[in-house]
Structures are given as C-alpha cells and as structure tokens.
C-alpha cells in the first residue's frame, strides 16, 4: 500500500483555514457582522482538523516503524 499523502492533506486543510480567516476579516470590514462568527469558527475547525491530521501522521509513522 502506498504512503498516505498526509503532507498534502495538512497543507490543503491549513490553507482552507487561512482563506476562511481572511474571509472573516473581510466580512467584518464590509459590515457583515452576522457571518463573522460562523466563518471564524469554521477557520478554527480547519486548523484543529489539520493538527489532528498531524497527530494521525505521527501515529501512523510510529506504527510503521514498529
């Protein structure tokens, strides 16, 4: 079985979190305050998801070494 593409997945999810964070800043600047909290929450969830993928990557690597 091929090595899972954890690096690409982490990069894509973190990039999505960054884009959502920028969108939240833009929404606040334009005056759409009612959407800022939801978009900010989604951005934080993307960063948490990326960090969980890092943990999964580390555990997978450790399991392959044993």
């Amino acid at each position: 079985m091929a090595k899972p593409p954890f690096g690409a997945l982490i990069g894509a999810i973190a990039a999505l979190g960054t884009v959502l964070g920028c969108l939240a800043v833009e929404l606040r600047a334009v005056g759409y305050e009612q959407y800022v909290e939801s978009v900010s929450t989604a951005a934080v969830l993307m960063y948490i998801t990326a960090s969980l993928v890092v943990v999964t990557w580390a555990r997978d690597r450790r399991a392959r070494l044993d």
Side-chain angles (χ1 to χ4, degrees), residues 16-28 39 43:
L16 179 59
T18 302
V19 169
L20 286 170
C22 291
L23 177 62
V25 170
E26 289 295 320
L27 287 173
R28 184 173 302 246
V39 174

Side-chain angles (χ1 to χ4, degrees):
M1 186 168 149
K3 188 172 152 183
F6 287 115
L9 181 62
I10 293 165
I13 293 172
L16 179 59
T18 302
V19 169
L20 286 170
C22 291
L23 177 62
V25 170
E26 289 295 320
L27 287 173
R28 184 173 302 246
V30 175
Y32 289 104
E33 290 288 329
Q34 67 267 25
Y35 301 112
V36 171
E37 184 179 353
S38 297
V39 174
S40 298
T41 300
V44 170
L45 285 175
M46 291 301 108
Y47 286 124
I48 290 171
T49 303
S51 65
L52 289 174
V53 173
V54 169
V55 170
T56 303
W57 188 2
R59 291 181 65 134
D60 180 67
R61 186 172 181 204
R62 189 176 349 143
R64 288 176 189 265
L65 293 176
D66 289 341

